[in-house]
């Protein structure tokens, strides 16, 4: 081939250099691919680990909230007080406790099986199912509370004789001490989570061959999947001692990156091109004899040969057109199986998407098409009859496609979900479709009338570019938003919604007005405020984007207002955003109902806080009544209440005024000190919180009926009985006006002094 060995050696040298750089590039590509693959694998494991953490820690948070809610529960207070005082609970109190535990458990989610309270030293357990009698007292836990564990309740609390199924079934347990508010502990609260559901949730996160551990203080609580391989671990942020681990299967190979394959193929192709170029240059410029032979060869291009080339070209063109036509026919089965929608939504398999793009399968048979979406709104719970509805709708659309299809019009359809079905009409020539969709809507509505179903259709505009298929689907869904203002059971066309305004009405100072309504707990004003926004915007012929923006601003304003309310109260307030397809009235009714429930929560919380404040004030007065600085003003400054509030509190709680209550307590203490006989009158006056002996004598005489000096000298039985009567009245915390004579006019005037 080469007529000179020198040129052959030069060619081989070029080839060697080309292959050297090619192998060098390939080695670098393999190194980068492995490094990127390791980083991607690590990131994927971190994401899986995050999801595993969220699954477990959501349960921990739920359990902690349950324990906290029960610790501040009014119903559970009765149980706490009965255990502290040794009293017995009546049936209504037990029912209230059971209902409170059931309510807190229901708010925690369906994964909670039961909440159980074991009281120290008692052979009874209180649960959401009722009071459970035990043959022996439950044992104390060896671990420090709070703690996590996996096992049965009987094993954890060593209940050997218990045969209850719930106590002998394995659960994921959260245990914490129980005390009412900040009181001392009286038992152990145990929250039981469904272990099978927990494993199922974790299995959904893990892929094939992967495993996971949940450890608490180096003890395995839970393990699933493969137990060998590279481990990725993380400690819990919510509960110290818990560690989560993800195990990657041993021998996992690095993934081949698509860009790596492209660059590798490009490198090999470029190298081959350079080799071919070197070969061509060698033949071209180092084979002069071949060129001489080509120059003297006879001419083969005759007129007949030229005509033959033209005929062959026309035949090839016709063949390509026929092949193109055959490929266009293949969209029908893919549309029916939902693959077309998967490609539009972006979740189809890579090889299917490549097949669509490479083979031009997205070309419809006819040049014009229109996309519509049928929305089925079933009354009641549609999920319980999901398969039945789907099968019936599937049969219905087979009939619709067969009934309304013609030679000039072709139909394909597929499910988006149980409530939405896409229907694509393909035309040979552009035509109007309003009447056709009206007939289809009437047919489908009549067929589904017995299922108590509203059928609403959203129709996009007619298009002729298959590249706009995604926009067509979005346009049909956008047209479906006509439900917001005009309701269910109609046909909405995207073209009819064009030209509408995008400016909506939202009142100034909405948040301030809403906050004022919530704080005042004015339900009627909230009705008026929301109805004003709803009615004004309903009268505006706006686009769907306008109403969506209005709903977004309404939700944002409500959430921000609730956050401000939460900062002023200890109750947690939140409202989830309404995202389902519904009318504007349904959405405003939802927020109206949610805000009314917030008012109810605030009202209940206010009552609880008032009761707790009264307890704190009464306890403070009983602890500091001997303090000479105790006064109405000092109490108002300390508890941030008014003098009127304190006066009403004393009248309602003790039946007397504030000054009468404090004076009675002080004189009762003075009687006790005088009976001891170890203190002088001056010392007794000071110890009982008086700074003036004259005031002390007047109060003592008005309460006991005699001067303190006389009481000190005489120790007869009647006087002792009178003193004991005052002592009993004061120690019980209730002023008895029948056992002590009324004060004279001077003493009554003195009672209105702000001090002592």
């Amino acid at each position: 081939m080469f007529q000179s060995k020198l040129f052959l050696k030069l060619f081989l040298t070029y080839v060697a250099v080309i292959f050297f750089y090619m192998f060098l590039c390939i080695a670098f590509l393999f190194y980068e691919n492995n490094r990127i693959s390791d980083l991607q694998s690590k990131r994927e494991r971190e994401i899986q680990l995050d999801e595993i953490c969220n699954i477990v820690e959501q349960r921990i948070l739920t359990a902690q909230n349950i324990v906290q809610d029960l610790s501040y529960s009014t119903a559970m207070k009765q149980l706490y007080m009965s255990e502290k005082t040794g009293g017995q609970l009546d049936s209504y109190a037990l029912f209230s406790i059971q209902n409170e535990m059931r309510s807190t458990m229901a708010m925690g989610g369906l994964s909670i099986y039961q909440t159980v309270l074991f009281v120290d030293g008692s052979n009874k357990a209180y649960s959401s199912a009722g009071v459970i009698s035990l043959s022996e007292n439950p044992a104390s836990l060896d671990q420090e509370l709070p703690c996590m564990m996996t096992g049965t309740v009987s094993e954890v609390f060593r209940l050997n004789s218990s045969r209850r199924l719930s106590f002998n079934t394995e659960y994921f347990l959260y245990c914490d001490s129980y005390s009412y508010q900040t009181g001392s502990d009286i038992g152990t609260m145990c929250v039981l989570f469904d272990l099978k559901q927990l494993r199922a949730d974790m299995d959904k996160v893990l892929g094939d061959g992967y495993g996971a551990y949940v450890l608490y203080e180096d003890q395995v609580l839970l393990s699933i999947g493969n137990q060998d391989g590279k481990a990725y671990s993380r400690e819990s942020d919510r509960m110290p001692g818990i560690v989560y681990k993800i195990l990657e299967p041993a021998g996992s190979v690095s993934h081949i990156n698509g860009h790596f394959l492209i660059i590798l193929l490009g490198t090999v192709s470029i190298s081959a091109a350079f080799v071919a170029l070197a070969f061509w240059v060698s033949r071209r410029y180092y084979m002069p004899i071949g060129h001489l032979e080509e120059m003297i060869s006879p001419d083969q291009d005759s007129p007949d040969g030229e005509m033959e080339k033209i005929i062959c070209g026309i035949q090839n063109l016709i063949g390509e057109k026929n092949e193109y036509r055959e490929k266009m026919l293949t969209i029908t089965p893919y549309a029916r199986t939902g693959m077309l929608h998967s490609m539009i939504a972006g979740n189809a398999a890579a090889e299917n998407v490549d097949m669509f793009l490479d083979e031009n399968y997205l070309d419809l048979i006819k040049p014009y098409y229109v996309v519509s979406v049928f929305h089925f709104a079933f009354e009641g719970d549609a999920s319980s009859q999901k398969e039945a509805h789907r099968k019936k709708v599937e049969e219905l659309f087979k009939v619709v496609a067969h009934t309304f299809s013609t030679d000039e019009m072709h139909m394909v359809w597929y499910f988006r979900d149980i409530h939405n079905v896409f229907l694509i009409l393909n035309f040979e020539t552009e035509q109007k479709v309003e009447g056709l969709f009206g007939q289809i809507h009437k047919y489908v509505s009549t067929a589904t009338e017995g299922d108590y179903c509203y059928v609403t259709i959203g129709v996009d505009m007619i298009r002729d570019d298959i590249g706009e298929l995604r926009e067509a689907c979005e346009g049909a869904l956008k047209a479906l938003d006509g439900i917001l203002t005009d309701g269910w059971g109609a046909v909405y066309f995207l073209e009819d919604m064009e030209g509408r305004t995008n400016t909506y009405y939202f009142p100034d100072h909405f948040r301030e007005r809403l906050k004022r309504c919530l704080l005042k707990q004015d339900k009627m004003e909230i009705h008026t405020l929301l109805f004003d926004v709803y009615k004004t915007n309903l009268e505006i012929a706006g686009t769907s984007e306008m109403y969506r923006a209005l709903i977004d601003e309404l939700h944002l304003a409500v959430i921000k207002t609730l956050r401000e309310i939460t900062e002023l109260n200890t109750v947690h307030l939140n409202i989830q955003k309404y995202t389902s397809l519904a009318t504007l009235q349904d959405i405003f009714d939802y927020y109206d109902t949610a805000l009314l429930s917030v008012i109810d929560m605030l009202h209940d919380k206010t009552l609880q806080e008032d009761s707790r404040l009264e307890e704190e004030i009464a306890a403070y007065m009983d602890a500091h009544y001997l303090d000479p600085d105790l006064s109405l003003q000092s109490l108002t400054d300390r508890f941030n209440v008014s003098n009127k509030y304190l006066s009403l509190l004393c009248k309602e709680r003790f039946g007397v005024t504030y000054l009468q209550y404090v004076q009675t307590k002080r004189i009762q203490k003075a009687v006790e000190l005088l009976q001891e006989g170890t203190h002088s009158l001056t010392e007794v006056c000071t110890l009982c919180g008086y700074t003036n002996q004259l005031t002390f004598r007047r109060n003592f005489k008005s309460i006991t009926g005699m001067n303190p000096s006389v009481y000190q000298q005489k120790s007869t039985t009647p006087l002792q009985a009178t003193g004991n009567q005052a002592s009993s009245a004061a120690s019980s915390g209730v002023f008895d006006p029948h056992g002590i004579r009324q004060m004279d006019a001077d003493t009554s005037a003195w009672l209105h002094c702000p001090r002592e």
Side-chain angles (χ1 to χ4, degrees):
M1 180 174 58
F2 294 99
Q3 295 159 341
S4 173
K5 292 183 179 181
L6 176 60
F7 295 147
L8 176 60
K9 291 179 180 180
L10 289 174
F11 171 72
L12 294 178
T13 302
Y14 294 151
V15 172
V17 172
I18 292 170
F19 276 92
F20 172 79
Y21 281 104
M22 182 186 71
F23 289 131
L24 187 63
C25 291
I26 291 175
F28 176 78
L29 290 174
F30 273 107
Y31 169 78
E32 285 296 313
N33 177 75
N34 291 335
R35 188 177 65 85
I36 295 173
S37 179
D38 290 340
L39 291 176
Q40 290 178 344
S41 178
K42 182 179 180 181
R43 179 57 182 161
E44 290 174 358
R45 301 296 82 73
E46 289 177 352
I47 293 174
Q48 287 181 325
L49 194 57
D50 286 340
E51 294 179 354
I52 292 294
C53 293
N54 290 336
I55 290 172
V56 179
E57 298 208 351
Q58 283 179 358
R59 286 168 168 79
I60 295 176
L61 176 60
T62 300
Q64 291 174 345
N65 290 337
I66 289 175
V67 174
Q68 182 179 5
D69 291 343
L70 292 178
S71 297
Y72 285 87
S73 169
T74 304
M76 298 298 289
K77 175 184 176 183
Q78 302 180 31
L79 172 61
Y80 178 84
M81 299 302 298
S82 67
E83 291 296 329
K84 283 296 184 181
T85 59
Q88 297 292 329
L89 293 173
D90 54 25
S91 59
Y92 178 77
L94 292 175
F95 173 78
S96 299
I97 293 171
Q98 177 185 354
N99 188 52
E100 188 72 18
M101 298 181 75
R102 186 185 296 114
S103 299
T104 55
M105 186 182 72
M107 290 187 293
L110 298 178
S111 61
I112 300 177
Y113 179 80
Q114 201 173 68
T115 303
V116 183
L117 171 61
F118 295 98
V119 180
D120 295 341
S122 173
N123 63 345
K124 292 182 179 179
Y126 301 88
S127 72
S128 55
V131 180
I132 303 172
S133 299
L134 306 174
S135 58
E136 70 270 19
N137 294 341
S140 301
L141 297 181
D142 298 332
Q143 302 183 33
E144 183 179 357
L145 299 178
C147 65
M148 303 291 302
M149 59 190 69
T150 302
T152 66
V153 177
S154 297
E155 293 173 351
V156 172
F157 292 91
R158 295 192 282 277
L159 303 174
N160 299 323
S161 60
S162 176
R163 297 183 179 179
R164 295 184 63 86
L165 177 61
S166 59
F167 282 11
N168 292 282
T169 304
E170 191 175 27
Y171 297 101
F172 188 71
L173 306 175
Y174 174 87
C175 299
D176 197 357
S177 57
Y178 170 72
S179 61
Y180 179 72
Q181 297 186 3
T182 58
S184 58
D185 300 339
I186 66 167
T188 302
M189 187 73 67
C190 188
V191 182
L192 286 60
F193 291 96
D194 190 344
L195 192 58
K196 292 182 178 179
Q197 183 63 42
L198 177 58
R199 292 180 182 273
D201 292 344
M202 295 174 68
D203 280 333
K204 293 178 182 178
V205 175
L206 300 175
D208 294 335
Y210 289 86
Y213 277 118
V214 180
L215 299 94
Y216 178 69
E217 295 183 349
D218 297 331
Q219 299 293 326
V220 178
L221 290 182
L222 181 64
S223 63
I224 60 172
N226 179 39
Q227 305 303 315
D228 296 323
K230 186 177 180 180
Y232 299 82
S233 62
R234 177 176 299 171
E235 295 182 0
S236 172
D237 296 329
R238 182 159 298 280
M239 187 167 182
I242 291 185
V243 178
Y244 307 99
K245 287 187 177 181
I246 291 288
L247 299 172
E248 188 179 52
S252 298
V253 296
S254 300
H255 299 287
I256 302 299
N257 189 277
H259 296 289
F260 164 77
L261 292 177
I262 294 174
I263 297 175
L264 178 62
L265 181 60
T267 302
V268 175
S269 300
I270 292 173
S271 300
F274 273 108
V275 172
L277 180 62
F279 178 78
W280 180 80
V281 170
S282 300
R283 285 184 60 87
R284 175 67 176 167
Y285 295 101
Y286 301 129
M287 293 184 65
I289 298 178
H291 290 290
L292 293 175
E293 293 177 351
E294 184 177 346
M295 291 173 63
I296 62 175
S297 61
D299 186 14
Q300 299 295 330
D301 293 330
S302 62
D304 294 337
E306 186 69 26
M307 182 59 67
E308 186 176 349
K309 289 182 179 179
I310 295 174
I311 293 174
C312 290
I314 294 174
Q315 291 176 346
N316 292 334
L317 180 62
I318 294 174
E320 291 175 0
K321 291 296 183 181
N322 290 336
E323 183 181 0
Y324 179 73
R325 184 75 173 184
E326 291 173 359
K327 289 181 178 180
M328 288 193 298
L329 293 174
T330 58
I331 187 174
T332 302
Y334 290 106
R336 288 178 178 172
T337 58
M339 189 178 295
L340 181 61
H341 176 65
S342 299
M343 195 279 306
I344 295 171
N347 56 4
E351 59 272 15
N352 293 333
V353 176
D354 292 340
M355 180 182 62
F356 275 113
L357 299 178
D358 295 341
E359 301 297 333
N360 295 320
Y361 284 168
L362 290 181
D363 293 301
L364 295 174
I365 298 175
K366 304 180 188 299
Y368 297 97
Y369 68 94
V370 59
V371 177
S372 62
V373 58
F374 286 67
H375 181 80
F376 295 88
F378 299 96
E379 292 186 359
D381 185 12
S383 59
S384 60
Q385 302 179 357
K386 181 177 180 180
E387 291 301 326
H389 286 316
R390 181 182 178 89
K391 185 177 295 185
K392 185 169 184 178
V393 172
E394 186 174 355
E395 295 296 329
L396 175 61
F397 270 88
K398 288 181 181 179
V399 177
V400 169
H402 176 73
T403 303
F404 292 93
S405 294
T406 63
D407 294 338
E408 292 77 19
M409 182 181 66
H410 181 62
M411 290 186 180
V412 292
W413 57 272
Y414 53 86
F415 278 92
R416 185 189 186 204
D417 50 48
I418 187 176
H419 296 288
N420 298 280
V421 180
F422 278 101
L423 178 67
I424 302 178
L425 279 60
N426 191 208
F427 310 99
E428 188 69 38
T429 58
E430 188 174 4
Q431 55 184 284
K432 294 184 178 181
V433 294
E434 288 81 359
L436 176 60
F437 275 104
Q439 297 176 14
I440 297 176
H441 178 264
K442 181 178 180 180
Y443 183 87
V444 174
S445 299
T446 304
T448 58
E449 186 176 3
D451 296 327
Y452 302 99
C453 173
Y454 293 100
V455 181
T456 310
I457 306 177
V459 184
D460 182 57
M461 64 183 68
I462 297 177
R463 302 175 185 262
D464 59 359
D465 185 358
I466 191 62
E468 298 177 354
L469 185 57
R470 182 189 295 272
E471 290 79 2
C473 293
E474 294 174 351
L477 293 172
K478 183 178 177 181
L480 200 61
D481 282 337
I483 293 175
L484 281 169
T485 55
D486 297 329
W488 306 90
V491 182
Y492 300 106
F493 294 89
L494 183 63
E495 295 176 344
D496 296 339
M497 303 180 67
E498 294 181 348
R500 296 187 178 185
T501 180
N502 278 320
T503 305
Y504 58 86
Y505 163 74
F506 201 77
D508 297 333
H509 310 297
F510 177 86
R511 287 173 53 192
E512 289 79 3
R513 294 174 60 187
L514 179 60
K515 180 179 178 180
R516 185 165 58 253
C517 294
L518 293 175
L519 293 178
K520 292 170 58 179
Q521 299 182 7
D522 191 343
K523 295 184 177 181
M524 184 57 65
E525 183 63 24
I526 286 182
H527 287 308
T528 304
L529 179 61
L530 292 180
F531 182 75
D532 172 57
V533 180
Y534 162 72
K535 183 179 180 181
T536 305
N537 284 281
L538 189 63
E539 295 173 353
I540 300 175
T543 62
S544 59
E545 290 85 355
M546 185 205 81
Y547 290 109
R548 294 297 179 191
L550 168 66
I551 295 168
D552 290 341
E553 181 165 354
L554 173 64
H555 180 76
L556 185 61
V558 170
I559 292 300
K560 288 184 177 180
T561 305
L562 292 182
R563 287 179 181 173
E564 295 178 5
I565 298 296
T566 303
E567 293 176 356
L568 302 176
N569 300 271
T570 57
V571 61
H572 176 68
L573 305 172
N574 190 26
I575 295 178
Q576 298 296 327
K577 185 177 180 180
Y578 197 100
T579 56
S580 302
L581 187 63
T583 64
L584 196 63
Q585 180 179 353
D586 293 337
I587 296 174
F588 272 82
D589 288 344
Y590 163 78
Y591 283 102
D592 182 71
T593 303
L595 289 172
L596 295 185
S597 67
V598 168
I599 288 180
D600 294 337
M601 292 174 60
L602 291 174
H603 178 71
D604 296 340
K605 189 63 178 180
T606 301
L607 294 179
Q608 295 177 7
E609 291 178 351
D610 289 345
S611 176
R612 184 164 58 249
L613 180 61
E614 291 178 3
E615 295 291 340
E616 292 178 358
I617 294 175
Y620 185 84
M621 291 173 58
D622 290 340
H624 298 83
Y625 69 91
L626 297 178
D627 187 355
D629 293 328
L630 182 69
S631 64
L632 274 177
Q633 187 61 43
S634 66
L635 290 175
T636 58
D637 294 340
R638 179 178 182 84
F639 293 99
N640 195 25
V641 295
S642 64
N643 290 348
K644 183 178 180 181
Y645 177 85
L646 290 173
S647 300
L648 292 175
L649 171 62
C650 291
K651 291 292 281 184
E652 294 178 358
R653 190 177 184 88
F654 306 118
V656 295
T657 65
Y658 159 76
L659 289 176
Q660 289 175 329
Y661 178 73
V662 174
Q663 289 170 2
T664 302
K665 296 281 287 184
R666 288 178 174 177
I667 298 304
Q668 184 269 341
K669 183 64 176 180
V671 169
E672 294 178 359
L673 294 176
L674 291 175
Q675 288 178 349
E676 292 176 359
T678 59
H679 301 282
S680 64
L681 287 178
T682 302
E683 292 174 342
V684 171
C685 175
T686 302
L687 292 174
C688 293
Y690 290 98
T691 58
N692 187 291
Q693 291 193 18
L694 178 60
T695 303
F696 170 64
R697 291 192 184 97
R698 288 178 177 177
N699 291 348
F700 192 94
K701 186 175 182 180
S702 67
I703 299 296
T704 63
M706 64 181 63
N707 289 324
S709 58
V710 177
Y711 186 88
Q712 188 180 31
Q713 294 174 359
K714 296 182 179 182
S715 57
T716 58
T717 302
L719 290 178
Q720 293 176 355
T722 304
N724 291 336
Q725 184 180 19
S727 173
S728 176
S731 62
S732 63
V734 180
F735 181 78
D736 184 7
H738 301 290
I740 304 174
R741 73 181 183 84
Q742 298 296 321
M743 297 172 286
D744 55 20
D746 294 338
T747 305
S748 298
W750 170 83
L751 286 175
H752 292 82
C753 296
R755 294 283 301 275
E756 302 177 350

